[in-house]
Amino acid sequence: MINFQFQDYYRFFVSLGIILISLAFIVPWLFLKNDFDIIIPLDKYNSLSEAGKKIVDSKLSLISYIYIWMPYYFFASSFFGLVSLTYGLLNWKKGQKVIDLEIAEKLRTFQENTTLVKESERKDIVKSIIASEYNIKNKESLNVKIQKYVDVERQIIKILLEFNSFNYSILTERKVGEHYFDAILIPTNKLQYECIVSVKYLTKKLDTNKLQEIITNNLALKSAYSSVMNSLPLLLNIIVVPTKTSDDTKVVDKFEKDEKLKRVKTVLIAESEINDLSDLGHLADRLKL
């Protein structure tokens, strides 16, 4: 079912006003620039049959009638367009204020029920993830891998911030109990859903078991978020791999087809896509909700 909002109602009046005002200028211009083939030499007119003369005379009468009423059309269309535009904008603004208050309340509620993750704490979280997947004994190698993981995550979040800040208020690196959120997107209008963003950087080959583990953990994030905010958000799983292969894509496609998860989107990204500054717009399109 379509979720009709009052914002759509007032947006309609704004759009209608713009159309009416535009037509007030466009329609007269179209008539003035066209002679409608009524300007013909007298000898050519006299050579027409009676039926032809009646057609020319009728066309001339109709166009003359339209030209007489054209100024009235211009003022009527402009007037009703301005009324519609003003009515829509004033009430749209009032509605937006209500939405802004609701968004501010959601942000406040989430901030009150979560804690900001410190840099050292974030690296400890990443360290535990890496330690569970890799057997790295050299401390220097471990620190390099941790920093790489953190940098990749933050590059992705930066892209999200850059391309979604108009439609969403974005909170990053928050924690509810033991659940860590890379980012939370709260929409600036009621037609979009809140969204949990989870970024995972893998250096090993992606397989079904690993994907199952990632999404299962992230579904737990959805539950934690719902318990705090009393709403069901979208879940955006962003998995970054050094090199994306067709096998990796097949794993994700097959998993999503088999599991039929609702409000869950998984995006597989090659590390080179993040570093390609000239193609960030394309990457942002893939991350759209």
Side-chain angles (χ1 to χ4, degrees), residues 94-265:
K94 291 177 184 178
Q96 190 59 49
K97 284 183 178 179
V98 174
I99 292 175
D100 290 343
L101 288 173
E102 291 178 354
I103 292 169
E105 179 63 22
K106 281 185 178 181
L107 290 171
R108 186 186 64 78
T109 301
F110 187 73
Q111 288 174 327
E112 286 181 351
N113 289 277
T114 61
T115 54
L116 182 64
V117 178
K118 298 177 182 178
E119 177 73 16
S120 58
E121 189 178 0
R122 176 60 187 139
K123 288 190 175 182
D124 286 340
I125 293 171
V126 174
K127 183 178 180 179
S128 65
I129 293 172
I130 293 175
S132 66
E133 296 181 5
Y134 309 99
N135 184 23
I136 303 175
K137 296 181 179 180
N138 185 283
K139 186 176 181 180
E140 185 175 344
S141 299
L142 179 61
N143 289 335
V144 169
K145 211 167 192 62
I146 290 172
Q147 191 59 51
K148 178 70 173 177
Y149 193 108
V150 171
D151 289 344
V152 167
E153 283 192 346
R154 286 183 176 166
Q155 281 178 288
I156 292 292
I157 298 301
K158 184 180 178 181
I159 294 170
L160 285 172
L161 286 168
E162 183 175 347
F163 288 92
N164 290 281
S165 58
F166 181 76
N167 295 317
Y168 293 89
S169 294
I170 303 175
L171 292 172
T172 60
E173 299 185 347
R174 308 291 298 188
K175 189 172 74 167
V176 178
E178 297 302 315
H179 298 288
Y180 171 79
F181 297 88
D182 292 317
I184 299 293
L185 279 64
I186 297 180
T188 55
N189 65 68
K190 291 185 176 181
L191 297 179
Q192 294 168 305
Y193 291 103
E194 298 154 43
C195 180
I196 296 171
V197 179
S198 173
V199 184
K200 289 290 179 286
Y201 176 54
L202 302 179
T203 56
K204 287 186 176 181
K205 183 178 175 60
L206 179 67
D207 56 32
T208 303
N209 291 333
K210 185 60 184 176
L211 185 59
Q212 175 73 63
E213 179 188 334
I214 290 171
I215 293 182
T216 299
N217 290 338
N218 291 342
L219 289 174
L221 290 181
K222 281 187 70 173
S223 298
Y225 182 90
S226 297
S227 65
V228 170
M229 300 296 288
N230 195 30
S231 62
L232 187 60
L234 297 172
L235 173 59
L236 176 59
N237 300 296
I238 303 172
I239 301 175
V240 183
V241 292
T243 304
K244 184 171 64 177
T245 65
S246 58
D247 289 339
D248 294 332
T249 305
K250 287 176 182 177
V251 167
V252 173
D253 292 344
K254 185 177 184 302
F255 183 85
E256 289 191 331
K257 183 179 179 181
D258 292 345
E259 295 296 323
K260 296 179 181 177
L261 298 171
K262 294 183 178 180
R263 294 190 182 182
V264 175
K265 179 179 180 179

Side-chain angles (χ1 to χ4, degrees), residues 35 42 56 92 133 146 222 271 280:
D35 62 13
L42 183 59
V56 172
W92 192 356
E133 296 181 5
I146 290 172
K222 281 187 70 173
E271 195 173 334
L280 286 185

